[in-house]
Amino acid sequence: TDALRRYVAADVNNPALALRTPKQAELSAALADEVRAAAKGQRPPAEALDRATAAWDRLTADTPPAKLREWWRAALGLQ
């Protein structure tokens, strides 16, 4: 569909979905890269999600889990 084609385009930017956390650009890019690869049929969806998870784990490895939870909750408006 046209909506999927627009999403797969690299220039899509939706500020409503911003994580509003440190490293948000890197985290969003890692997820978008894998979603795009799955949407284009370059990678099975489950593998893409596993790869995105691994990328997020690498990007957040230096942050204590309690701090991550604090950031995620604040980004979701759960504080």
Side-chain angles (χ1 to χ4, degrees), residues 4-55:
L4 181 58
R5 282 188 195 92
R6 282 192 304 273
Y7 181 78
V8 172
D11 61 345
V12 172
N13 183 14
N14 185 348
L17 297 177
L19 295 172
R20 298 177 187 91
T21 64
K23 298 185 184 178
Q24 72 102 351
E26 294 95 331
L27 293 167
S28 292
L31 179 59
D33 289 347
E34 293 303 328
V35 169
R36 190 174 295 110
K40 288 182 173 181
Q42 297 169 336
R43 193 171 285 119
E47 181 184 340
L49 288 177
D50 288 344
R51 289 171 56 105
T53 299

Side-chain angles (χ1 to χ4, degrees), residues 52-67:
T53 299
W56 278 38
D57 288 345
R58 283 190 304 277
L59 288 165
T60 60
D62 61 342
T63 306
K67 193 64 167 172

